[in-house]
Amino acid sequence: MRRFEGTSDGRVEAQLDPDEVTLLQSLAGQVAELVAGISTSSTSVDGSTNSDAAVARLLPDAYPDDAEASSEFRRFTQSGLADRKVANAETVIRSLGRADITGSVALDEPETLSWLRCLTDIRLTIASRLGIETEDDEAGRTIDPLMRELYDWLGFVQNSLIEAVDDRSTDG
């Protein structure tokens, strides 16, 4: 992937390989699927007792030391938060579907924000699956090199997008 860069019309754009397009669409789809059931269920999920650490990381307790307050907060906010995460993932998938034959993808401001949020969700999910909470969590552990490479590449994509947004905002 070439870095994201600002364009003269206020968008950000990057060239992606076909495999990168497919990978990003798949990862965004997996995050959407992970939280979609929460957004459509009528019962709330208590993240502190959720057996899926990735979901608990994506939908964390608002008040970790107060289960009752967290439950009440979740009752009013969890479905909307899950819906927004699904919408962000769908935006990534849809925008990648517009990539031309060269793999060029251009994002307007709302799409860029959705991408940033979705990339964060993807990285949080992978970190959760790898058991990474802090940088120190990797000390003395063997982490699947392919998953680590994927995690780092997603960080590059996210950082590149942030830099393009920053450059765009300082130019205008």
Side-chain angles (χ1 to χ4, degrees), residues 144-158:
D144 179 346
L146 287 175
M147 290 301 291
R148 182 62 204 201
E149 188 176 331
L150 173 61
Y151 182 77
D152 289 342
W153 177 75
L154 289 164
F156 163 77
V157 173
Q158 187 174 35

Side-chain angles (χ1 to χ4, degrees), residues 26-95:
S26 175
L27 292 169
Q30 290 174 47
V31 166
E33 187 176 311
L34 188 62
V35 297
I38 293 163
S39 68
T40 58
S41 71
S42 58
T43 60
S44 70
V45 175
D46 182 1
S48 63
T49 60
N50 193 325
S51 61
D52 190 331
V55 172
R57 190 107 178 245
L58 292 172
L59 304 168
D61 283 333
Y63 307 100
D65 298 328
D66 187 340
E68 186 176 335
S70 280
S71 178
E72 187 70 6
F73 183 81
R74 181 172 289 103
R75 186 167 67 92
F76 291 108
T77 63
Q78 182 169 270
S79 180
L81 178 58
D83 288 344
R84 288 188 299 279
K85 289 180 180 298
V86 170
N88 289 330
E90 289 172 346
T91 297
V92 169
I93 293 166
R94 193 172 39 255
S95 62

Side-chain angles (χ1 to χ4, degrees), residues 80-133:
L81 178 58
D83 288 344
R84 288 188 299 279
K85 289 180 180 298
V86 170
N88 289 330
E90 289 172 346
T91 297
V92 169
I93 293 166
R94 193 172 39 255
S95 62
L96 286 166
R98 291 192 321 256
D100 65 19
I101 192 77
T102 66
S104 178
V105 61
L107 309 173
D108 62 21
E109 188 171 347
E111 290 170 327
T112 299
L113 294 174
S114 288
W115 267 67
L116 289 171
R117 291 179 190 118
C118 186
L119 288 168
T120 297
D121 290 343
I122 293 168
R123 292 188 79 229
L124 282 172
T125 300
I126 291 172
S128 175
R129 298 289 189 239
L130 295 174
I132 300 171
E133 296 278 332

